[in-house]
Amino acid sequence: MDASLKPSLPAQPRAFAFHVGGRAVRRGDRDWCVRVSPAHGVEVTRVPACTAADVDAAVAAARRAFAQGIWSRLPGSERAQVLLRAAAGVRERFEELAYWETLETGKPITQARSEVLASAGYYEYAAGVARTLSGDSFNNLGEGMFGLVVREPIGVIGLITPWNFPFLILAERLPFMLAAGCTVVAKPSEFTSATTLMMAEILGEAGLPDGVFNVVTGYGLPVGQAITEHTDIDMVSFTGSVATGQRALAASASNIKKLGLELGGKSPQIVFADADLEAAADGVVYGICLNAGQCCVSGSRLVVEEGIADAFRDLLVDKFSRVRIGDPLDPATQMGAIVTEAHQNKILGYIRSGVADGARLACGGGILDGDGWFITPTLLEGVRSDMAVAREEIFGPVLTMTTFTTPDEAVAIANDSVFGLAASIWTKDLDKALDTMRRVQAGRMWINTTITGGPELPIGGSKQSGNGRETGVYGVEEYTELKSVHIALGQRTPWVQ
């Protein structure tokens, strides 16, 4: 398909099966989760509304595959080959994957294409780590003892992914789990299940053994709850809201399973007066408009030095006015739709509350006429740190603006949050940038850029933004257990005389 052409809507909605034990499960009599395109208002996909019994079947398949060692005991080189073939499969089908990703999420097709191609790189990177993952040895225990530390796959993992970046977030986790030798039961969001189900097909074609990757679709209740509570799942990786993460944490007590959480964010964008203001303004606009602000690392809190605040606001208003919003199937579109009408109303409610609390609406705050759910990029200035719009995750294209006079004040404002997922700093002064970076509490930091990166560096949050790390070598180690081994050498000295 020519990337410059606008794809058309499907003639009819596409029905998907879920995947257990290496086969697609189709049942005509089950309930369906119906997805309406958030940008077009028409039904585009249907996926099965699975049950707790389906979760049991998927976990049993994953447990059998793990116990049999058909994946966990393969040499890393063989696991790497499967991951490399999977990456090639993603590249071969990237237009198809991006198309369905766009229809279900409402994100621009150009963004979806970029994310799908980037995802292939995560599988390629994880393939390399599969071949280099290692432990340690201790030759310092004396002549009669030798020590080893070995890494083993943690076992069966429950993987629950969100609706905002369904394919990319899957790629930030799944290949690293597979590189470690684990088996997986995945549950994508009921809104955006298509590309995860397509990835199950790609992995099967790449040679992944049956039962290693299973996908159950449906709602948080009962499917997500059944995964977090399941006593035959060794670890759960969850990405989503703080409230749901707290419930997952409580449910994990069923068998004291390990939990990896990436939760909400309220990420600051600190702009110093000595920054390249044009570049900073462009980055700030990108950071809040990407994915229509439905991004956990969105730079939603602008913390700008007082002396340049008015000039910087004017730059932002001008750039916001030129962001191309509309049909995500149009390659010219830069910002697409809000995921549901209910979420659109929630965002609009936050904008109204901010104005009611004393913030000034510098631009935006409206919706687009026609089909679908769209909100214009919004800037609220004069925001105090005690306002709900400054403290709570809005998850939409709403930027709050607060001023500071000293670097210490900027850091204090940035850290005045229960979240600690990400932050961006804009300054030409390297000393100032590094000093601020060291003091701001966040799992991911960007200096003179925002929301960028790849599989090499780990991602994750601090405070109520979660725990654990994904991607990088650390992302594979996250899904392993350490085992210490003491090996006695020579003749044993009798203890019993």
Side-chain angles (χ1 to χ4, degrees):
M1 182 184 294
D2 188 337
S4 65
L5 299 178
K6 176 182 174 180
S8 58
L9 288 168
Q12 59 185 14
R14 180 173 175 179
F16 287 84
F18 65 104
H19 287 256
V20 173
R23 64 187 184 92
V25 183
R26 300 181 186 275
R27 296 188 196 146
D29 60 344
R30 70 169 51 249
D31 292 332
W32 294 92
C33 300
V34 176
R35 180 56 171 160
V36 171
S37 167
H40 307 98
V42 299
E43 184 181 333
V44 288
T45 57
R46 292 185 174 191
V47 299
C50 291
T51 65
D54 295 319
V55 173
D56 288 340
V59 173
R63 178 57 63 190
R64 281 194 303 272
F66 187 78
Q68 292 166 358
I70 56 176
W71 182 252
S72 60
R73 293 198 290 272
L74 280 183
S77 58
E78 294 185 29
R79 294 203 293 264
Q81 289 304 311
V82 173
L83 292 170
L84 289 172
R85 289 194 293 269
V90 169
R91 295 185 188 280
E92 289 170 6
R93 296 178 63 178
F94 94 95
E95 282 286 5
E96 179 190 5
L97 288 160
Y99 175 73
W100 291 104
E101 188 92 335
T102 294
L103 288 179
E104 288 196 325
T105 63
K107 68 179 60 187
I109 186 92
T110 50
Q111 179 187 329
R113 287 168 176 156
S114 175
E115 289 171 10
V116 169
L117 289 176
S119 296
Y122 284 79
Y123 287 86
E124 291 162 344
Y125 179 88
V129 181
R131 300 191 68 149
T132 60
L133 192 65
S134 62
D136 208 345
S137 63
F138 289 79
N139 197 31
N140 61 345
L141 305 180
E143 292 186 358
M145 191 69 66
F146 185 71
L148 295 175
V149 177
V150 297
R151 287 193 176 272
E152 298 179 339
I154 200 167
V156 177
I157 298 174
L159 171 59
I160 302 175
T161 54
W163 48 259
N164 56 337
F165 292 90
F167 198 70
L168 181 61
I169 287 178
L170 181 74
E172 289 175 342
R173 288 144 179 80
L174 178 60
F176 299 86
M177 297 170 180
L178 296 178
C182 297
T183 59
V184 181
V185 176
K187 181 217 167 298
S189 167
E190 65 271 20
F191 297 134
T192 55
S193 300
T195 52
T196 300
L197 293 166
M198 293 167 66
M199 193 66 221
E201 298 172 359
I202 291 170
L203 283 163
E205 293 165 358
L208 188 71
D210 293 349
V212 174
F213 181 53
N214 310 272
V215 184
V216 284
T217 52
Y219 301 102
L221 283 172
V223 180
Q225 189 72 14
I227 288 174
T228 56
E229 291 178 347
H230 209 290
T231 56
D232 211 18
I233 287 179
D234 302 297
M235 178 178 177
V236 167
S237 170
F238 171 80
T239 306
S241 69
V242 172
T244 307
Q246 289 170 334
R247 291 194 293 272
L249 190 62
S252 69
S254 61
N255 62 331
I256 320 296
K257 63 172 63 67
K258 184 178 179 181
L259 211 61
L261 301 172
E262 184 173 325
L263 306 177
K266 195 69 178 174
S267 302
Q269 294 254 21
I270 302 173
V271 180
F272 288 97
D274 62 1
D276 180 334
L277 297 188
E278 186 71 30
D282 190 77
V284 169
V285 169
Y286 170 78
I288 195 63
C289 290
L290 176 68
N291 220 51
Q294 301 167 123
C295 180
C296 54
V297 294
S298 282
S300 56
R301 283 192 299 149
L302 172 60
V303 184
V304 60
E305 194 160 350
E306 189 173 277
I308 59 162
D310 289 346
F312 198 71
R313 175 205 58 215
D314 293 343
L315 275 174
L316 292 176
V317 170
D318 174 63
K319 289 183 180 293
F320 276 140
S321 71
R322 292 186 280 124
V323 174
R324 296 188 296 273
I325 312 167
D327 185 355
L329 289 175
D330 184 344
T333 294
Q334 292 178 294
M335 193 175 105
I338 304 302
V339 66
T340 63
E341 185 176 18
H343 190 54
Q344 181 189 58
N345 290 334
K346 178 182 176 182
I347 296 167
L348 293 172
Y350 269 112
I351 296 170
R352 289 192 295 270
S353 79
V355 173
D357 287 343
R360 298 181 299 278
L361 185 64
C363 67
I367 60 175
L368 301 186
D369 294 330
D371 297 327
W373 307 298
F374 298 86
I375 293 179
T376 54
T378 301
L379 174 61
L380 293 170
E381 61 176 330
V383 173
R384 302 185 312 272
S385 292
D386 63 339
M387 294 180 181
V389 290
R391 306 201 69 79
E392 299 174 17
E393 186 176 40
I394 299 173
F395 223 62
V398 181
L399 179 67
T400 66
M401 181 171 166
T402 303
T403 62
F404 70 89
T405 56
T406 67
D408 286 346
E409 186 183 5
V411 171
I413 294 170
N415 289 340
D416 186 15
S417 173
V418 299
F419 299 109
L421 192 58
S424 298
I425 300 163
W426 300 86
T427 175
K428 293 178 181 177
D429 186 329
L430 181 60
D431 289 343
K432 186 186 297 179
L434 293 180
D435 176 66
T436 307
M437 176 274 293
R438 284 172 167 166
R439 293 195 288 155
V440 170
Q441 299 162 343
R444 262 195 279 184
M445 301 285 297
W446 294 284
I447 296 176
N448 293 327
T449 187
T450 193
I451 313 185
T452 188
E456 294 83 5
L457 274 65
I459 61 175
S462 60
K463 299 195 280 190
Q464 290 186 31
S465 289
N467 57 46
R469 290 296 180 265
E470 310 287 351
T471 70
V473 174
Y474 309 91
V476 178
E477 293 177 348
E478 188 79 16
Y479 300 107
T480 64
E481 292 277 24
L482 292 176
K483 178 181 286 185
S484 297
V485 183
H486 290 80
I487 304 171
L489 305 174
Q491 189 68 34
R492 176 178 173 83
T493 302
W495 181 67
V496 177
Q497 302 297 321

